[in-house]
Amino acid sequence: MIEATGDGRRATGDGRTVLFAVRSAVALYRLLDVLPVLAGDERISTCFTLVPGSEFGVDALAAVDTAGARIIPWDEARLRVFDLVLVASPKGDLRLLHGHRVLLPHGAGFSKTIRSEGSPGSASGLDPKYLLPGEGSRTTVHALAHPHQVDQLRAASAHHGERAQVVGDPTLERLLASRSLRDRYRAALGTGARQLVVIASTWGPRSLLRQRPELAAELASALPHDTHQLALIVHPNERARVGTFELREHLAPALDAGMALVGAHEEWAATLIAADALITDHGSAALYYAAVADRPVIAACDGGDELIAGSPMARLLGTVPRLGPAREIHRALAAYRPGAGPEAAGAAFAEQGHALDRMRHLLYGLLGLTEPPGPVEPRTLPAVSPTTRTPAAFDVFLDRAGDRVRVDRFPAHTGLPGNHLAVEYGAAGERNVQSAGLLYRRPLATGPGPLDAAWTAGGWSADALDRYPGCRAAAAVLPSGTSVLRVRENGRLLAVRAEPRIEDGRVVRADPAAVLSAVHAWVVKREEPPPALHCVLGHRDFRVVVAPATAAEEARTF
């Protein structure tokens, strides 16, 4: 058994202790991405401490506790001597900690200045007020992601510039290693074949959430449900400022419309991999997104006086399309020109694919230990577990031409009323159910019970029209994907089924509820739908077969 000595070291000659000094949740998350460098080495012990003085300290402490890390009080940490101290923010009384110090940026480079802190105009992370001197044999090393960042540091302090090393970005390594998991992340989000549009907000008065708080809800009313999905990434500091509960309440209109709110640790990065487009402010998440793949980036706001001129983030925002009113989102997405994102990201990240190896070389050199054999593997990102609410009532807009009808569904009451209100019975509230022109019901998940009871397709559709006299048609969506539709005017039962599409080796299926709305284009005019029609969702055309329901389909339970 190895015993602790009380000064931060263990009793054996090979033992080393590394302290992770955490000031905020985002700083913790950056430091956790370095863990593979030290993993599996019995010579190294790790512990964490909370650096006091941050308004986001409570969330940082909760994040450390959630990670299951060993925490030592600050008063104890500053009395001990450690072999290495890792930090991702230069702020706080870090001078009181004894040991070689390695500082990592907690974003993609130095693109932002915090006007309320430190020296006016200094980039956050490079403020001379917070740069730490080396003391005696102890050193302070800045582990940076790009040679240009070394130049920036040297301009702020020649001494620290000489001690800086370009190692790359450990967080980016995780994103790059996880690119092949894109389908897994999209499945966890429920994206399917839709376009995933991600909104990313940094923190502070110039952030997207502060500058355009209604944008998420406005986008939900501008992007059809069957073709687009929204997800929101919020900086951990902004979550800490308002609290997760209040944040969800503020975002309720967009969340009710189906937007996913993803977690601040790891999930934000997985969501960037899953995304088809990004709407951003001046937060560094956009540079990570652009480094992973060349997909559209749209600027929603410019950061004002917080954005450092000439920085990679400034270059990015200066070359990508800008979003005016939310209704112009389609134009903005089409205006993105390939290459703009990766070019800016290239100015923020060097050593891609080698960052952890270079980081290990640096840390083991400071620890005075030989490096373990073999390369360091970054840890892939886990699947997303977002906060999501599935809309159950839709304003449906129809554009019929011959046997083709374009269907655009938007969550109810987010914009103008559509041609009809389509409502999922058993999921929507009674007010929407009573106002529905089309009611549909999906199969219910049932648990074991002494007496099982289930509606037949014919029985439920007749009962629904009887109880809701304002409804024109009611449909049972069967597990097979076929829907049994009852039309009020003639009481006929129709079997409705959309044929799947094959796209590049993948099968794409339309939501049966969207297909029912296409058939409703004939129902609402009291016309007989043709035996074959086409339901157009975005750029996709689904062939729909309509036939009289068989006795077996009418009797099918669901």
Side-chain angles (χ1 to χ4, degrees):
M1 178 176 175
I2 299 174
E3 296 181 357
T5 65
D7 65 350
R9 298 176 183 268
R10 292 181 293 179
T12 63
D14 288 337
R16 302 291 188 272
T17 302
V18 177
L19 176 69
F20 289 76
V22 178
R23 191 171 185 269
S24 65
V26 68
L28 169 69
Y29 300 148
R30 293 289 293 184
L31 294 175
L32 292 178
D33 291 337
V34 180
L35 284 176
V37 171
L38 307 174
D41 194 331
E42 289 293 328
R43 299 170 296 175
I44 296 174
S45 174
T46 60
C47 55
F48 291 72
T49 194
L50 179 66
V51 181
S54 172
E55 61 180 304
F56 309 116
V58 173
D59 276 52
L61 184 61
V64 174
D65 187 59
T66 299
R70 181 161 57 96
I71 305 173
I72 61 174
W74 172 256
D75 287 341
E76 178 184 344
R78 64 190 182 90
L79 296 177
R80 293 169 58 175
V81 177
F82 299 92
D83 297 288
L84 188 63
V85 178
L86 293 180
V87 296
S89 170
K91 299 173 184 176
D93 290 329
L94 298 177
R95 292 174 177 83
L96 300 178
L97 297 176
H98 305 292
H100 295 304
R101 292 180 291 240
V102 175
L103 274 72
L104 289 80
H106 61 263
F110 307 103
S111 297
K112 187 176 182 180
T113 181
I114 308 300
R115 299 296 177 181
S116 61
E117 296 183 352
S119 308
S122 291
S124 181
L126 295 177
D127 193 329
K129 178 179 178 180
Y130 298 112
L131 295 179
L132 299 173
E135 299 169 355
S137 62
R138 301 293 175 176
T139 60
T140 298
V141 179
H142 287 256
L144 302 176
H146 194 278
H148 178 63
Q149 296 169 13
V150 178
D151 296 337
Q152 288 180 281
L153 179 60
R154 188 176 289 116
S157 167
H159 168 75
H160 286 86
E162 293 303 316
R163 297 295 305 169
Q165 292 192 30
V166 177
V167 299
D169 188 290
T171 298
L172 178 61
E173 297 300 291
R174 298 193 68 187
L175 276 86
L176 296 175
S178 303
R179 285 179 292 185
S180 62
L181 281 68
R182 174 175 161 86
D183 286 349
R184 179 184 179 190
Y185 302 145
R186 291 173 66 85
L189 285 162
T191 305
R194 295 181 292 174
Q195 275 198 310
L196 176 60
V197 178
V198 174
I199 307 166
S201 176
T202 187
W203 66 285
R206 290 291 184 175
S207 66
L208 189 153
L209 280 182
R210 304 267 201 105
Q211 293 290 306
R212 303 185 66 173
E214 305 299 326
L215 180 61
E218 292 169 352
L219 287 168
S221 67
L223 294 170
H225 174 79
D226 295 295
T227 57
H228 293 81
Q229 180 188 25
L230 284 175
L232 177 64
I233 294 170
V234 180
H235 193 285
N237 288 0
E238 194 65 18
R239 286 176 176 264
R241 183 183 72 87
V242 299
T244 299
F245 174 83
E246 188 168 337
L247 178 65
R248 289 173 179 166
E249 291 303 301
H250 290 171
L251 296 169
L255 293 174
D256 290 343
M259 183 182 74
L261 177 62
V262 300
H265 179 216
E266 301 178 318
E267 288 194 4
W268 70 271
T271 303
L272 291 183
I273 295 172
D276 296 296
L278 181 73
I279 299 171
T280 187
D281 51 20
H282 58 304
S284 61
L287 289 170
Y288 288 104
Y289 173 78
V292 170
D294 190 3
R295 300 188 179 102
V297 180
I298 309 299
C301 41
D302 60 13
D305 59 4
E306 288 187 354
L307 184 64
I308 301 293
S311 65
M313 197 65 221
R315 291 173 59 177
L316 179 64
L317 294 182
T319 55
V320 302
R322 291 188 174 276
L323 178 63
R327 64 178 179 274
E328 297 178 1
I329 180 60
H330 296 287
R331 178 198 60 77
L333 291 171
Y336 176 79
R337 293 293 173 259
E343 182 180 353
F349 304 113
E351 300 295 338
Q352 295 186 23
H354 308 288
L356 292 185
D357 289 322
R358 292 183 66 86
M359 179 69 73
R360 183 163 70 176
H361 183 71
L362 168 63
L363 299 189
Y364 273 79
L366 292 172
L367 289 169
L369 295 175
T370 57
E371 298 178 36
V376 187
E377 292 295 331
R379 293 169 182 167
T380 56
L381 298 161
V384 185
S385 300
T387 297
T388 55
R389 304 168 191 165
T390 303
F394 295 93
D395 281 311
V396 184
F397 294 81
L398 304 173
D399 185 6
R400 176 179 154 190
D403 64 351
R404 279 176 164 75
V405 55
R406 179 180 182 85
V407 177
D408 288 318
R409 296 192 300 167
F410 298 91
H413 318 304
T414 59
L416 296 174
N419 296 100
H420 66 265
L421 183 68
V423 177
E424 180 179 352
Y425 185 86
E430 185 67 12
R431 178 178 295 181
N432 281 323
V433 171
Q434 291 182 356
S435 302
L438 169 66
L439 274 177
Y440 59 94
R441 178 171 173 165
R442 301 184 192 271
L444 294 177
T446 58
L451 290 174
D452 183 43
W455 280 104
T456 64
W460 179 81
S461 59
D463 181 75
L465 292 183
D466 183 57
R467 285 189 292 130
Y468 299 101
C471 184
R472 302 292 295 274
V477 179
L478 301 177
S480 64
T482 295
S483 298
V484 176
L485 176 70
R486 185 183 295 274
V487 180
R488 177 178 296 280
E489 278 69 30
N490 53 31
R492 291 188 60 196
L493 284 175
L494 301 174
V496 179
R497 185 179 184 88
E499 297 176 351
R501 288 170 52 94
I502 307 298
E503 298 179 359
D504 300 324
R506 297 188 180 193
V507 178
V508 179
R509 293 182 173 86
D511 182 356
V515 176
L516 288 167
S517 280
V519 176
H520 201 266
W522 279 266
V523 171
V524 76
K525 294 186 176 182
R526 294 180 170 84
E527 297 176 3
E528 187 74 15
L533 57 93
H534 293 266
C535 172
V536 180
L537 303 173
H539 67 277
R540 293 184 171 92
D541 186 322
F542 294 89
R543 184 175 183 269
V544 180
V545 178
V546 182
T550 65
E553 289 168 333
E554 180 180 357
R556 192 72 52 84
T557 58
F558 71 113

